[in-house]
Amino acid sequence: MNHVDRVDTEWTALICCRVSDRSQLRGSGLDSQEHRCRKHAEINGYRVEEVFLESMSDGYALTERPTIRSLLAHVDANRHSGKNYVAIFDDHKRFARQTENHLLLRRMLRERGVRVEFLNFTLDETPENRFSETMFAAQAQLEREQNARQNRERRRARLEKGFHVTRAPIGYLYEKSPRGGKVLVPDEMIAPIIREAIEGFAEGRFASQAEVKRYLESRPELPIRRNSNGEIAPQRVVEILRHHIYAGLVSAPYLGVSLRKGQHAAIISFETHETVLARLAAGVYAPTRKDITEDFVLRGAVVCDCCKTPLTAGWSKGKCKKYPYYFCREKGCAVYGKTIPRALIESRFAALLAEIQPKPNVAGIAKEIFQEAWTQRVAQIEHASRKFADEADRLEKEIGRLVDCILSANSPRVISAYESRIEELERKKLLAQERASKTPRVEGRFGELFEHALNVLSNPLKAWKTGCFELQRPLLRMAFSEHLEYCRENGFRTPKTTLPFKVLGLFCGQEMRMVPLE
């Protein structure tokens, strides 16, 4: 590279190096570029003043590229120093790979008196050379766009075959696939945590996203970003709950790939995934709060009778010791700030449990009824399995018919309507196939899940009086379907109980006698 003004002028070099992706930082790309640029500066007698490194694609605006911002700021800060700057780039593609950006950056540097040199291309301020430079810039943009298109098509092809193509989500790892490339496999340590979080929310063990969040925060082995207090962003929890990848599915609407069964193993069932989406859309009753402790078990589950605001609680410092109270924190409420002793509200709650507690002989009858209902339910599932298989076949035929309609349609609006309908039917087909493949777990299932619950249902007051925090909190959700309204003078209002207690209440409230003969 020969420049006519190099002999008489002392030039100060600013070296700029760039790779298009952070993953390339692990290699020697930046170091190699810097080495070649320094060698070029040494040969031409330039003094290197600063080196600017960047790992960002050229698809961003110039003002968003940190290297360019730093380069221009450095030149502006030394505008009156009398230095003659030359910016050295390893390749004209490192300068910019969009024609518009290339010409804009050249003009911005030219206005500041900065000369640009590329190791693979000689720049001269002649009409012919400017034309060649523009052609090279356009060629760089063409290569970039062709590479992006090729990468997009490869990703689409992999997705259509059922392979996930982006970074492995939490709970999965990449392993080599016998079919070529890589496939997701569940992480043996992390996948059970993700499964418990999602299934717990679907089944109601976690009554809200906040409870899922606290569960995930309690697992230090979970590789997820946290703030300085160890808390996970609520949006990350929503992403985990909503992500279809955990149900063994893949999709990419931005690439035109609809929801379909993936090649990786599912952590949860598709039915669980649909249940989670439905719960997120509907909202749930969630008495659990972050600051609930064994000191105030009812906090978050009891609301003020006047303003319907959940009662808060705390310790009040007396002359000799502290005293626990509940109180309403809603300004403008008639009982705002008026305290309720913890012993009083909890004794009234115990009396409320005694009112809904079924008679001793009802528990045995209820167990037999529930056992019979369980057996009938198992038989229904076996029948439904065959029914779902038939439904999946019917949906497949319907999808095929709509595909034929698309081939014969000419209107873009009609084609879009057909595609939306096909996507809806695909979701239904996946759900039907999954339900058809399920086999009910009969052996030991009733005893494992129902025995303990029945003990609590038959004697909730006993469970409450144990003082066990792990029993008392679930009892609130098991017994009551909504917040409990509390009047400071009269105590609890009539509560809305859950279905099991309503059923047991029917047995307790009826007087049973033999029908007399005529």
Side-chain angles (χ1 to χ4, degrees):
M1 299 178 62
N2 297 316
H3 295 272
V4 295
D5 55 349
R6 181 179 298 162
V7 177
D8 301 326
T9 306
E10 181 180 350
W11 293 90
T12 301
L14 301 174
I15 294 175
C16 300
C17 307
R18 181 179 69 86
V19 291
S20 58
D21 191 88
R22 292 186 180 274
S23 62
Q24 294 176 299
L25 294 174
R26 293 191 292 267
S28 58
L30 290 176
D31 292 339
S32 300
Q33 291 181 43
E34 182 180 348
H35 173 75
R36 290 193 296 271
C37 291
R38 284 185 178 276
K39 188 175 181 180
H40 174 82
E42 182 181 352
I43 292 173
N44 290 280
Y46 303 156
R47 182 180 63 85
V48 178
E49 183 173 278
E50 193 70 43
V51 177
F52 301 94
L53 306 179
E54 181 180 78
S55 59
M56 178 178 282
S57 172
D58 185 47
Y60 295 87
L62 286 177
T63 54
E64 296 180 5
R65 289 178 55 183
T67 296
I68 301 304
R69 291 204 307 267
S70 301
L71 172 64
L72 296 177
H74 183 86
V75 173
D76 291 340
N78 294 275
R79 178 176 298 178
H80 303 294
S81 63
K83 298 178 181 178
N84 298 303
Y85 283 114
V86 54
I88 303 175
F89 292 81
D90 173 69
D91 189 290
H92 70 279
K93 297 177 183 178
R94 306 295 180 187
F95 186 72
R97 295 192 70 177
Q98 286 187 337
T99 309
E100 182 181 358
N101 285 351
H102 183 104
L103 298 178
L104 176 60
L105 182 55
R106 283 279 284 133
R107 184 170 67 252
M108 294 171 70
L109 292 174
R110 189 184 299 113
E111 291 171 351
R112 289 169 168 80
V114 179
R115 193 174 69 193
V116 178
E117 291 186 5
F118 303 133
L119 303 190
N120 65 335
F121 181 72
T122 303
L123 289 177
D124 290 321
E125 297 298 330
T126 63
E128 293 80 9
N129 190 271
R130 289 184 180 180
F131 175 78
S132 299
E133 181 184 353
T134 303
M135 294 299 295
F136 275 115
Q139 181 186 10
Q141 179 172 343
L142 175 63
E143 291 178 0
R144 178 178 178 275
E145 292 176 354
Q146 287 177 330
N147 290 339
R149 181 179 61 188
Q150 186 179 27
N151 182 51
R152 208 163 41 241
E153 294 300 325
R154 287 177 178 173
R155 294 172 68 188
R156 181 186 290 115
R158 291 283 292 173
L159 282 162
E160 288 175 347
K161 292 180 180 179
F163 290 96
H164 187 67
V165 295
T166 56
R167 181 182 301 177
I170 298 173
Y172 280 102
L173 300 171
Y174 271 120
E175 286 188 359
K176 289 186 177 180
S177 170
R179 300 185 181 182
K182 296 182 179 180
V183 65
L184 291 176
V185 295
D187 187 327
E188 294 182 358
M189 180 180 295
I190 305 302
I193 300 175
I194 300 298
R195 181 187 300 113
E196 173 62 20
I198 300 176
E199 290 185 347
F201 182 76
E203 297 171 4
R205 295 196 302 276
F206 300 125
S208 67
Q209 298 170 39
E211 290 190 35
V212 178
K213 177 175 174 287
R214 288 196 287 276
Y215 166 72
L216 295 177
E217 289 171 348
S218 69
R219 306 306 296 262
E221 66 271 32
L222 195 67
I224 189 170
R225 182 178 296 177
R226 306 165 188 254
N227 62 17
S228 58
N229 296 324
E231 297 179 349
I232 300 171
Q235 183 59 32
R236 293 291 292 122
V237 177
V238 176
E239 291 171 1
I240 291 174
L241 292 174
R242 287 185 177 278
H243 210 323
H244 55 261
I245 198 73
Y246 297 115
L249 307 173
V250 296
S251 75
Y254 64 97
L255 291 175
V257 180
S258 59
L259 193 69
R260 63 194 62 203
K261 187 171 179 58
Q263 298 290 343
H264 60 282
I267 292 179
I268 61 170
S269 67
F270 183 62
E271 185 175 6
T272 298
H273 174 66
E274 292 287 279
T275 303
V276 168
L277 295 182
R279 290 201 72 203
L280 289 173
V284 291
Y285 159 63
T288 302
R289 294 168 46 105
K290 180 178 179 179
D291 51 2
I292 289 174
T293 64
E294 296 184 18
D295 293 338
F296 302 100
V297 183
L298 295 177
R299 186 174 187 177
V302 181
V303 298
C304 174
D305 177 56
C306 297
C307 62
K308 305 301 185 281
T309 301
L311 296 181
T312 190
W315 290 86
S316 177
K317 188 175 182 180
K319 190 173 183 180
C320 300
K321 63 178 182 177
K322 293 182 178 181
Y323 299 91
Y325 291 99
Y326 287 84
F327 55 91
C328 179
R329 56 188 172 85
E330 184 67 20
K331 292 183 178 180
C333 179
V335 293
Y336 169 69
K338 296 182 179 180
T339 58
I340 307 168
R342 182 184 66 180
L344 174 62
I345 192 172
E346 290 188 356
S347 64
R348 286 178 170 178
F349 180 73
L352 180 65
L353 290 178
E355 291 178 8
I356 67 171
Q357 181 165 311
K359 295 179 180 178
N361 62 330
V362 172
I365 300 174
K367 182 176 180 180
E368 294 179 5
I369 294 175
F370 291 149
Q371 176 70 71
E372 179 63 25
W374 178 264
T375 304
Q376 293 179 4
R377 181 58 179 161
V378 170
Q380 291 173 359
I381 292 176
E382 293 174 347
H383 172 71
S385 179
R386 296 188 294 271
K387 182 180 178 181
F388 285 130
D390 296 338
E391 177 68 8
D393 293 339
R394 186 191 67 79
L395 291 171
E396 181 64 34
K397 293 178 181 178
E398 178 67 13
I399 291 171
R401 187 185 67 81
L402 291 176
V403 171
D404 293 338
C405 292
I406 289 178
L407 296 176
S408 60
N410 296 321
S411 170
R413 186 174 181 180
V414 173
I415 292 175
S416 177
Y418 280 140
E419 289 175 343
S420 299
R421 178 60 177 164
I422 288 174
E423 185 173 353
E424 179 185 349
L425 293 178
E426 285 284 358
R427 294 184 73 93
K428 291 182 178 180
K429 186 187 75 173
L430 288 171
L431 184 58
Q433 288 175 338
E434 182 181 90
R435 288 175 172 174
S437 63
K438 279 187 176 180
T439 54
R441 290 180 55 190
V442 179
E443 185 176 355
R445 189 66 172 172
F446 181 83
E448 291 172 8
L449 297 183
F450 203 76
E451 195 68 35
H452 177 68
L454 188 59
N455 290 337
V456 175
L457 290 172
S458 62
N459 200 336
L461 182 58
K462 181 179 179 181
W464 173 260
K465 288 184 175 180
T466 60
C468 178
F469 182 75
E470 288 72 19
L471 276 180
Q472 291 175 332
R473 286 306 302 180
L475 175 62
L476 291 170
R477 290 197 297 270
M478 187 181 297
F480 306 103
S481 59
E482 294 185 4
H483 289 93
L484 299 169
E485 296 184 9
Y486 185 83
C487 175
R488 193 167 177 270
E489 289 77 19
N490 303 320
F492 287 97
R493 299 297 188 187
T494 303
K496 292 187 178 181
T497 56
T498 55
L499 181 61
F501 277 93
K502 289 179 181 178
V503 173
L504 294 175
L506 291 176
F507 288 105
C508 297
Q510 294 180 357
E511 183 179 357
M512 304 294 184
R513 294 183 180 179
M514 293 292 294
V515 178
L517 295 175
E518 291 185 3

